[in-house]
Each structure stands twice: as C-alpha cells, then as structure tokens.
Amino acid sequence: MELRQKLAILADAAKYDASCASSGSRRRNDGTQLGDTTKIGICHSYTPDGRCVSLLKILLTNYCIYDCQFCVNRVTSDTPRARFTPAEVAHLTIEFYKRNYIEGLFLSSGIIRSVDYTMEQLIEVARLLRYQENFNGYIHLKTVPGASPELIERAGLVADRLSANVELPTQEDLDRLAPEKSRQQIEKTMQEMAGQILASGEEVRKHKSAPKFAPAGQSTQMIVGATASTDGQILQTADALYRRHRLRRVYYSAYSPIPHGDDRLPPEPPPLIREHRLYQSDWLIRFYGFGVNELTTAAEPNLSLEMDPKLSWALRNRDRFPVDLNKAPRELLLRIPGLGVRNVDRIIQIRRHQSIRLDDLAKLRAPMRRIRAFVITADHNPEALRIDRDDLAHRVVTPHVQLELFAAAGSARTGEV
Amino acid sequence: MYQLTTDRDFDRWRDLARQMLAGQISPPQILWLDREDEPSLLSNTALTPPVSSQPAAQTRVPREYLDLASKVACHRDPDRWNLLYRTLWRLTHGEPELLERVTDDDVYQLGAMERDVRRDRHKMTAFVRFRQVPAESGEEHFVAWHRPDHYIVRLTAPFFRGRFAAMRWTILTPDDSVAWDGHTLHFGPGVPQSQAPQADELESLWRTYYANIFNPARIKIAAMKKELPVRHWSTLPETQLIPDLLAEAPRRVEEMTRKSRENARPGSGPRSSGSARPGDAAAGDLYSASTSPETYASGLPAGKAATFPWTAEPFIPQSRSLKVLAEASKNCRGCDLCDIGSQVVFGEGPHDAMVMFVGEQPGDQEDRQGRPFVGPAGQLLDEVLQQVGIIRDECYVTNSVKHFKFEPRGTRRIHAKPSSREVSACQPWLVREIEVVRPQILVCLGSTAAQTLLGRDFRVTQRRGDVMKTEWSPWTMATIHPSALLRIPDEALRAKSRGEFEADLAKVAEQIAKLKAG
Ligand code: SF4
Ligand code: SF4
C-alpha cells in the first residue's frame, strides 16, 4: 500500500483521541539536534472542526485483536486496515517537523499479536526518532495496559508523555463494553508510570544529567456517554485517578455511534456540550478548590447543560453571595461565577492600590451580566441586592449561545470558567 | 516641540527617551516617529534633542517596565512611542507603582499592545511553513514566507534558532527577513511573497493528513477562524483544502447518519458483534454522527432538526478588509438560508465609496452570478442611476440579507421574502460593511433595508425621500425598491411610483454634487 493511503487510513483512525497537548516538557536543543519542546506547546494548525493540530497524531496500525464495542478498530469492525513500518512513521515525523507543521508525534496503536509486542513496536518508533534521527521534539506514546514494567521503563525514557486510557468511567462499564480490559490492570500500569515519573523527578533534582522519565507526565482518556454512568461518577473517577496516579490531564471524549455498533451501545451520541461541562468541572476541581462532591448532587447527578458548573453551584449556594471584591480572600473570589484565576489574581493586585469598581471589571473583560449579581463593589451595584429573586438564573445566563461555542473550542486546553 | 525618529528600534528609543527624561522634556512636547521620511505634522520642530547634564541615575525604572516596553515597541501602532514615553514619564514622576494598576488607561493600553505582540509571535512560531529549496552545497535549505501583523522578526528569530539549530533556514516577511547559517542569525530587509519558493513535495502528504484528521461531524468554523485567522491562509498549504472539506462535510455526515440510522433500525433484533456488513468503505466516518455545530452550541441532543445560531456574528472575522469579509461570508452558517441558494452574494464597490445602496436580498440572477443587483431590478436601478447622473461603479451596493431565498415552482425559483429572523441574523454583515465604508450618503431600497437600519415601524410608503441623520450615515434616505416597481401591475400607478423613485435618486445626485463641490 502506498504511504499516502496508509497515512489517510491511520490518521482517520486516530482522530477520536482527544488529547492534542504538546506541553509540559522542556527539551533544549544542544545545537546539533532537530527540535526542542516548549513549556506551553504550539498549535500549528486548526481543522474546520475547530480542533488544533499540534502533533502528528496517528496509529501505527488499526488492526486490533481486542473487541471494545465503542471502538472503530475492534477486531469485529470492517473498517479498512493499514499498518505503518516504524521507519515510515519516523520519516513522516521528521519531514513534517522540519517544515514546522508539527510539534512532534502522538503515536497510538491497535493491539497486534500481544500487548508486549505492540508496546515494543511503539517504542521502536520513538527509539528510531531519538537515536537515529537525532530528533529532540515532542513524543507522546500510548502505553498498552498490562505491558511489562521493563517496556514501560523503556517507553518513558524516549517519550515526553505516556498515557494509558481508562476508557470508561466504571468497572461495570468496562465489563459491558470492553470485556478484555480491567480497571485494575489499567491502574496498575498507571501506577507503574507514576512511580517512575516520581523517582526520575527526584533523581533529576539531585543531578541534572540523570535520565528523564516522561517529563511531561501521564494522561488518560475517558469516553463519555457510551454508558449510563453519571457525570458525578465520571468526576469521581477522574478525581481518584488524579490523586492516585498524579495524572497531568484526564481527557473526556463524547462517545459517538460507530458503524454496526451493537445493541449495548446507545443509538444517539451525548451532546458535545456535556464534554465541555466536564472539562469545566475538572478545571474547578484542580485549580479552583472545588470538592468533587460540590459539583453534582444526589438529586441532580448530572451537570447542567444550560449553564456552567460554577454558576449552577453558585445558584444552589446563594447564601454565600454577594462577595465583596474589595475584601474577600482569594478562595472566595475564585468561587464567583465568571471570574477566572487570572482575573482573581489581577483583582488582588489592583485592590492594593485602589478600590475595585464595576468598570474595573469591565476593563478586565469579565462577563458583567454573570458577575454583577454576585459581587459587591465600591460603587453602587443594584444587581447584588437581587440575589434572592427567583429569576436570578434567567438574568445571569448568557443570552448568546455562540459565546459558549467559542468557549467550548478551547475547553480541552484551558477549561477556564 | 521635538520631533524624534526611532527607526523602529527599541534601543534607539530608549537612548533618546533617557536624554529627554534627563532634560525634563514632558510627553506633550515630543512627537515620536518611526521614520525620518514620515510627513511631519509640525512646523518649528527641533530635530536634535537637548544634551543633558543630569545624572543618569534619575532614569531608573523597573526591569518589568523595560521588558514590557521592548515588546510594545514591536507593535505596528505608530502611537506606541508616545504611549511608552508617557508611561515612562509617569513612572518617574510620582507614580512608581503605575504598572500594577492594570485598569489605568495607559497601562491597559500597554497591556493590550503587549498581548497583540505576544499573540502575533505565537502565531509566527505556529504558522511559518518552511519549503525546501535546492542548495548548491548539497545541504538542505528551508525557506518560509510569513506575514506577521507586527515587527516581530527579531523577537521571534531565537525561537527558530533554538528549534531548527541543525538546519539552514530563512524566514522572509514583508518588513524584515532573517536567515540562519548554523552559526549566526542574519537580519535583512523585507521581501515580497512573489520571491518566496512556491511549493514543496511534502505539502501534499501534509494535506492528506489534514483532511483525514478532520471530523466532518463536528464543524466549528468560527472556532477555527478565531485561532487560524483568514489573513494567514495564503501562506498555509493546508488551508486550500478548507472549502472542499466544508463542501464535502454535509454529504459525509449525511452518509454517516443514514448508516447509523440503518443500524438503529427498530426490530432488527440483537445482532452479534461480529455482524459487520461488507462494503462500508467509509466506515471510519461513522464514528460520530449527526452532531452539527448548532446542536453543540445550544446543548440540544443531537439528531434533532438542525438549528442555527440565528446570527452571523460568530462567522465574521476581525478584519476591516472588504475582500476578507466577502471571502469569510462564503462560510456563513448564521441562518437557515445558508443551505438554500447556490452562493452568498456580498456587497460590491469601493471601500471608500461616498454612497451606499442597501437592497433586500439577492434574486435568481444575483444568486447565479454571485453579484448584487445584476437581475431585472438591478437593470432598472442602473437605468435610473444613469438618468440622474450617478456612476454606479463609484457606489457601494449591497443587500440586507446575503443569501437568496426562494420557492421552487417547477424549474423556476420564485423569490420569497426573508423572515425577520433571517434579516436580523444577517444584519451583522451589513453593519460591518457600513462600518468599513462609512458612507456619507446611505440609501435604503425598500422596506426590508429601511426597517433593518431605521427601525421596525419605519414605513417607506409614508416617509420615502425624507433625509435623516442616523447612526449609520449623516445623510440617510429610504426609497422604493426597484423590484417593487417592477411588480406593480397597474400601469398608471407604476409610472407614478417610478417618478417618485427617480425624484429620490435625483436628490441623491444633488447631494453627491454638493459634497464633491464642498
Ligand atoms: S484495544 Fe484499543 S484499538 Fe483495540 S478495540 Fe480496544 S480501544 Fe480499540
Ligand atoms: S443569509 Fe446571512 S446570516 Fe444567513 S447564512 Fe446567509 S450570510 Fe449568513
């Protein structure tokens, strides 16, 4: 098969992986190499689906011996198949990189022959790039759950980031749709990676020249809406994974129907906005001090699609508002709907010199309609007096749906609320 | 008054600013210019700054300020030097904490410029596309042509040196250029795009990748354009695919929807997971079906009939170039009319036209040709314009709604009036056109245009020919739409209305003459 044709099939098969990050790693170029990595990563292009193109994201092969029901590559699917040689992937990566099309490679694969064989093939590509091509750009390798610890160690030494996919929110979900996979095995692999990352970090701190193991850490991906698991359960799982294995990111990917899916799968995809709400909640838990139990309730185990999770939390907890922008501590400012971390820090900076008024908020480009009802400023703010009225939700929910559309585009990257 | 030239060079500005500060020359006394040859607005300017005897210690400013200033200096705004000197002055005259007050007008302005420059640098690191050129030495050499918004080549070159240390490369831009020979960065003058290499073999593989990593079921053009501004498209090899990808997308999505519907057919009974049918070549496409951007935006479950945002706003780029706007309008999906006609019909005419005519919407002919007022109504308009002595090519001519709406009658397409929802969805395009052209005379043809711009209860029948000052133009008038004239069955009435139409346009001609004379 011609290289172009393989590229078409194996890029198409990779487009369901939500991760596109090329950040979190710092490789300096010693002057003889090709490439370096930067702290924040660069998006080199965007496709008309609004997603960024940062890495050459492909599968080594889309043959797979497993039968995960939600996956187009499963053994029982009749999708066209292809397989790259490791040298072909290395060649494409190098040539694209030299032309500044990409930041590096994100390589995944269906499982061929065995877990370890597959893992070896992935490592071989990265090895070729690092040692034969002198490539110093970003490499993200998928780790196949259950791969032997030696292979994981080798993978971490050539890759910037590793990721093992948790796939579905609960073990019951896996039992139903991915019978060959188990949470226990996936987490065992995550734990191994977490251990190596931690150990290597300590080594590097002691002596700079110690080999780095996956300097951009590990991430995972969870498919949302393929089973009945609630947002509450999904966030519980994410929160537990963050804490147990120190993941850098959990990616949420809205399930979409695939050809000839079987009756265990829902016929309709979940609304994409659900994905967005999960990213926002994820962000609130990691950077805004929210507890995972504050975002959903027993009565409403799913996030609201109409408004962002911080706003719905605020509407459930009106007794905590309005908050005085000129006096409140940082933790409380972070709870105000419409105020992001950056603006909170700016407000703290400004109020050392002058008191905060409504037009200062406007200059910080904060969404006034949402914020007004929840804050006290130095000037008169009549909205804050109406916090207890029943129509509050109506008054603060943004009337222009397209704002959400813009926000949603960046949500996988920033999740900023 | 002093007139000082920086040559676009931050270090030079800093030296001059230091001397000015030492000489206690206050900001309003200095006019800062980028270049010597810029026309001076002042007479009696001293070109040489006074030499100061003050100690240099007096000009101590925070590091943070110098950092910020060196970035702001790369902004294209000619006023940046004045802003920089003003803030420098304030910092050293009793406001040492000025930079922390981010909502102060000057500081805010500095921050906004710094952000522009930062964004532009980031876009340069992202959008430079190298093309391989044959080099005599046998070594690979790569050349890129890029169009930054600001003067950022010097600032951004170290990034490329760090990343592509082992390569030989050159980056050309309209203002500056830089080359790396493996040891040193060499800076040079700007180079036009025509002198850059035009292709690279790898580009077609790159396009294959781009086309296949794109998911047709999740179209979000506005989101894409926000990050990948249309003005950069001409230097990115992958963007030439975008029109085709978009055109193909509905068909591919439809195919996916059809297939998954077949799949979900009730009564098909439980199938074993191995029941895949052969012949589904496009199987990979089926992964995410029937999710339109609209359902995304509103949070409605997918699979319902498509809904639209009912505003063109998200599809309008920042640009003030009519060409860019016209190009962008082709991808508008602001309302349901986007799928009906064969193409969008944008306004036409000079960007600095004195007169602007706004009609209702394109008709059958306009839709076929993609140009406004070329059908029967357009011919009538041309006729009367000529009669009263207005040159159409000097006017900007457009419509309130940019897409044709019709009902099919056999092979004919009968014009249908746009709904008020469609009119209001499309209004942002019209508003932007008016903002760009800023017509001194604005003529609404017919009630749709009049009501869009002059208010819901404006009645053309009662107020045609009235001259008003409006937010759109100091001289605004509404008159009959020429196609309405064509539709009046009664001959006597038609003749009378035509007379009124002619009289109104004669008034316009008179005003043009007046403005031209004065
Ligand atoms: S193992 Fe991975 S590639 Fe194979 S079927 Fe499961 S999800 Fe798909
Ligand atoms: S009619 Fe206007 S708003 Fe509607 S799709 Fe066409 S250009 Fe966009």
Side-chain angles (χ1 to χ4, degrees):
Chain A
M1 194 186 287
E2 211 210 324
L3 183 64
R4 174 183 315 279
Q5 230 174 319
K6 291 188 190 179
L7 179 60
I9 292 173
L10 293 167
D12 188 89
K15 70 176 166 221
Y16 311 114
D17 224 303
S19 162
C20 67
S22 53
S23 54
S25 182
R26 272 216 168 168
R27 285 176 188 275
R28 285 190 195 291
N29 191 323
D30 66 10
T32 67
Q33 296 159 316
L34 175 67
D36 62 2
T37 61
T38 57
K39 214 166 128 243
I40 49 166
I42 297 170
C43 301
H44 286 269
S45 195
Y46 292 81
T47 47
D49 52 20
R51 290 178 166 176
C52 85
V53 181
S54 170
L55 301 170
L56 170 62
K57 193 186 330 183
I58 42 177
L59 264 54
L60 187 57
T61 175
N62 65 341
Y63 290 100
C64 186
I65 55 174
Y66 281 21
D67 197 24
C68 309
Q69 291 310 307
F70 50 82
C71 175
V72 70
N73 303 322
R74 69 188 192 283
V75 65
T76 52
S77 156
D78 62 352
T79 190
R81 309 278 179 170
R83 179 175 175 180
F84 279 128
T85 64
E88 284 170 331
V89 178
H91 167 74
L92 280 173
T93 309
I94 292 293
E95 294 304 319
F96 281 5
Y97 195 90
K98 280 183 178 168
R99 284 156 184 82
N100 203 36
Y101 300 161
I102 52 171
E103 290 289 286
L105 174 69
F106 177 4
L107 187 64
S108 176
S109 180
I111 296 170
I112 29 174
R113 281 200 231 165
S114 70
V115 166
D116 277 354
Y117 175 77
T118 309
M119 200 63 232
E120 270 171 24
Q121 291 290 303
L122 294 176
I123 295 169
E124 175 60 11
V125 175
R127 199 195 58 79
L128 278 180
L129 281 169
R130 290 280 188 245
Y131 301 115
Q132 207 147 311
E133 303 285 348
N134 211 3
F135 178 68
N136 194 43
Y138 196 90
I139 299 179
H140 177 165
L141 290 184
K142 264 273 123 77
T143 28
V144 189
S148 70
E150 296 77 43
L151 289 174
I152 289 179
E153 175 163 10
R154 276 173 55 199
L157 292 175
V158 281
D160 292 278
R161 169 167 286 185
L162 297 176
S163 62
N165 281 356
V166 54
E167 310 290 11
L168 296 168
T170 66
Q171 180 61 50
E172 297 79 77
D173 292 342
L174 284 175
D175 290 344
R176 245 166 87 85
L177 296 181
E180 288 106 334
K181 296 199 166 168
S182 81
R183 169 64 71 74
Q184 202 202 344
Q185 190 181 50
I186 297 167
E187 286 211 41
K188 189 163 160 285
T189 298
M190 287 181 174
Q191 197 172 3
E192 249 147 41
M193 294 192 281
Q196 301 254 21
I197 292 169
L198 193 70
S200 137
E202 280 165 11
E203 281 300 302
V204 171
R205 230 164 291 134
K206 274 190 234 141
H207 18 248
K208 267 217 140 78
S209 60
K212 286 201 185 88
F213 182 95
Q218 63 164 323
S219 63
T220 192
Q221 170 164 296
M222 201 178 335
I223 293 169
V224 171
T227 58
S229 293
T230 62
D231 292 340
Q233 285 170 302
I234 291 169
L235 291 172
Q236 290 286 358
T237 297
D239 186 51
L241 293 178
Y242 276 125
R243 279 186 290 108
R244 272 189 233 137
H245 310 301
R246 282 182 299 271
L247 298 185
R248 288 286 175 91
R249 288 300 304 274
V250 173
Y251 289 93
Y252 306 90
S253 176
Y255 161 77
S256 339
I258 52 159
H260 323 307
D262 86 3
D263 291 354
R264 285 170 283 180
L265 290 168
E268 295 276 314
L272 290 179
I273 191 83
R274 184 172 172 198
E275 202 181 276
H276 179 49
R277 295 289 180 239
L278 284 165
Y279 279 119
Q280 290 179 316
S281 305
D282 183 282
W283 214 259
L284 289 179
I285 293 171
R286 288 186 298 144
F287 303 113
Y288 287 72
F290 278 79
V292 62
N293 293 320
E294 289 184 286
L295 296 170
T296 57
T297 59
E300 282 176 65
N302 284 306
L303 298 165
S304 158
L305 297 180
E306 281 74 44
M307 59 182 101
D308 72 67
K310 200 199 236 183
L311 182 57
S312 28
W313 173 84
L315 290 175
R316 280 198 303 272
N317 293 278
R318 290 187 206 191
D319 51 319
R320 308 216 194 178
F321 294 98
V323 167
D324 188 337
L325 286 183
N326 287 299
K327 296 202 190 101
R330 188 166 186 274
E331 308 85 77
L332 276 188
L333 295 179
L334 283 172
R335 298 241 160 185
I336 299 170
L339 270 195
V341 172
R342 182 128 58 101
N343 273 343
V344 163
D345 290 339
R346 283 200 186 136
I347 285 172
I348 293 173
Q349 192 186 31
I350 302 170
R351 74 183 183 186
R352 283 194 216 122
H353 305 284
Q354 63 180 71
S355 45
I356 308 282
R357 309 169 68 86
L358 280 176
D359 64 324
D360 290 313
L361 286 179
K363 276 197 190 148
L364 294 172
R365 292 191 287 188
M368 298 307 287
R369 187 184 164 95
R370 215 177 327 156
I371 292 190
R372 259 201 324 240
F374 298 99
V375 298
I376 295 172
T377 48
D379 48 350
H380 178 55
N381 175 15
E383 279 294 313
L385 304 173
R386 306 197 194 122
I387 185 88
D388 287 323
R389 280 192 6 194
D390 288 342
D391 64 349
L392 181 64
H394 282 287
R395 282 186 288 122
V396 294
V397 171
T398 320
H400 301 297
V401 282
Q402 68 271 21
L403 285 182
E404 287 284 0
L405 192 103
F406 282 131
S411 67
R413 259 172 308 131
T414 68
E416 189 84 34
V417 213
Chain B
M1 195 73 184
Y2 302 94
Q3 178 175 311
L4 303 175
T5 307
T6 62
D7 283 332
R8 260 174 46 199
D9 180 7
F10 175 65
D11 291 334
R12 185 167 158 75
W13 174 81
R14 199 176 48 184
D15 286 347
L16 290 170
R18 229 182 240 142
Q19 294 172 37
M20 289 289 138
L21 216 49
Q24 289 296 327
I25 313 294
S26 72
Q29 290 176 264
I30 312 175
L31 178 71
W32 294 92
L33 293 176
D34 265 352
R35 294 228 180 272
E36 198 86 64
D37 52 6
E38 268 176 82
S40 166
L41 304 168
L42 311 156
S43 46
N44 293 332
T45 49
L47 294 178
T48 30
V51 181
S52 111
S53 52
Q54 305 276 332
Q58 203 180 329
T59 59
R60 210 166 264 287
V61 288
R63 246 231 85 69
E64 190 199 347
Y65 174 78
L66 280 182
D67 258 8
L68 180 68
S70 67
K71 310 285 159 48
V72 170
C74 300
H75 201 281
R76 200 173 282 273
D77 187 336
D79 199 38
R80 65 195 181 288
W81 304 118
N82 295 319
L83 175 67
L84 283 173
Y85 189 69
R86 194 162 60 241
T87 42
L88 180 63
W89 180 267
R90 291 179 60 191
L91 272 171
T92 50
H93 288 76
E95 298 179 79
E97 81 312 330
L98 178 65
L99 290 187
E100 300 211 348
R101 304 214 325 254
V102 287
T103 53
D104 173 274
D105 281 336
D106 283 344
V107 179
Y108 180 71
Q109 197 51 43
L110 279 180
M113 284 192 187
E114 194 266 339
R115 266 198 307 280
D116 287 350
V117 169
R118 190 175 352 126
R119 182 177 149 97
D120 198 32
R121 288 174 74 185
H122 187 74
K123 291 298 177 200
M124 179 164 171
T125 64
F127 296 155
V128 155
R129 293 285 182 270
F130 285 118
R131 287 175 162 156
Q132 192 173 357
V133 294
E136 307 86 56
S137 58
E139 258 182 285
E140 291 180 331
H141 190 177
F142 293 86
V143 180
W145 195 87
H146 177 73
R147 193 201 324 265
D149 287 344
H150 303 287
Y151 307 118
I152 54 163
V153 169
R154 271 170 193 276
L155 225 44
T156 321
F159 165 84
F160 291 96
R161 178 186 57 201
R163 176 159 290 192
F164 300 108
M167 270 163 46
R168 306 286 170 272
W169 52 262
T170 305
I171 299 173
L172 310 170
T173 82
D175 303 299
D176 303 282
S177 59
V178 57
W180 169 250
D181 59 9
H183 309 284
T184 321
L185 290 171
H186 301 275
F187 293 93
V191 173
Q193 188 165 16
S194 55
Q195 288 181 31
Q198 298 302 311
D200 183 306
E201 308 172 29
L202 253 291
E203 285 174 2
S204 94
L205 272 179
W206 170 238
R207 280 192 286 264
T208 301
Y209 175 69
Y210 183 81
N212 283 284
I213 202 74
F214 155 65
N215 187 345
R218 292 177 70 140
I219 290 191
K220 294 211 291 282
I221 306 170
M224 170 186 70
K225 284 194 185 156
K226 193 168 163 252
E227 298 298 338
L228 188 72
V230 179
R231 65 178 185 283
H232 288 299
W233 287 20
S234 78
T235 58
L236 301 172
E238 64 271 23
T239 53
Q240 53 178 263
L241 288 181
I242 292 172
D244 282 351
L245 290 177
L246 288 174
E248 277 281 284
R251 192 193 54 73
R252 289 172 68 188
V253 173
E254 215 229 293
E255 198 174 325
M256 298 196 279
T257 329
R258 185 170 48 74
K259 287 188 183 170
S260 41
R261 241 186 271 124
E262 278 168 18
N263 249 1
R265 216 177 14 225
S268 62
R271 277 181 285 112
S272 81
S273 55
S275 68
R277 281 163 294 182
D280 267 335
D285 284 350
L286 296 156
Y287 200 84
S288 72
S290 73
T291 320
S292 66
E294 295 74 33
T295 53
Y296 188 19
S298 60
L300 288 173
K304 297 244 173 78
T307 56
F308 293 86
W310 296 105
T311 167
E313 206 73 70
F315 302 92
I316 303 183
Q318 281 301 307
S319 173
R320 298 185 66 81
S321 145
L322 289 170
K323 233 162 99 196
V324 172
L325 292 170
E327 202 50 43
S329 70
K330 292 181 184 159
N331 294 322
C332 183
R333 298 190 60 81
C335 77
D336 57 341
L337 296 183
C338 61
D339 292 328
I340 297 181
S342 50
Q343 58 183 316
V344 70
V345 180
F346 206 72
E348 218 178 68
H351 68 94
D352 54 355
M354 182 186 278
V355 190
M356 180 157 168
F357 288 99
V358 183
E360 182 181 69
Q361 62 163 337
D364 181 68
Q365 280 306 315
E366 285 82 6
D367 179 58
R368 289 175 203 276
Q369 298 182 34
R371 301 184 47 206
F373 282 97
V374 290
Q379 283 158 18
L380 176 59
L381 177 67
D382 285 349
E383 196 180 304
V384 178
L385 285 178
Q386 209 165 23
Q387 207 175 311
V388 301
I390 299 176
I391 301 163
R392 166 154 171 184
D393 287 348
E394 289 179 359
C395 306
Y396 189 87
V397 180
T398 190
N399 283 301
S400 307
V401 174
K402 309 291 189 245
H403 267 103
F404 182 32
K405 182 174 181 181
F406 63 92
E407 273 145 27
R409 289 281 154 72
T411 56
R412 291 179 55 219
R413 308 192 294 175
I414 306 296
H415 162 273
K417 200 172 160 52
S419 71
S420 57
R421 246 181 135 187
E422 288 151 357
V423 176
S424 84
C426 210
Q427 199 216 24
W429 285 117
L430 178 60
V431 170
R432 181 62 76 81
E433 285 176 291
I434 297 175
E435 278 169 8
V436 173
V437 177
R438 290 202 281 158
Q440 287 164 273
I441 300 173
L442 177 71
V443 184
C444 300
L445 299 170
S447 62
T448 301
Q451 289 177 358
T452 312
L453 295 176
L454 309 175
R456 288 238 144 261
D457 37 15
F458 190 93
R459 294 279 165 274
V460 177
T461 40
Q462 290 158 20
R463 300 189 49 195
R464 54 147 276 278
D466 289 0
V467 174
M468 295 156 282
K469 185 169 158 39
T470 65
E471 61 180 302
W472 313 113
S473 168
W475 199 97
T476 314
M477 170 208 269
T479 182
I480 312 157
H481 195 287
S483 76
L485 280 182
L486 292 169
R487 282 200 300 267
I488 301 176
D490 180 279
E491 209 169 302
L493 190 58
R494 191 165 66 232
K496 175 172 169 279
S497 300
R498 166 142 184 171
E500 291 170 351
F501 183 56
E502 287 170 4
D504 289 343
L505 290 198
K507 240 194 235 176
V508 174
E510 228 172 83
Q511 178 67 8
I512 295 175
K514 213 155 109 197
L515 288 173
K516 277 191 177 164

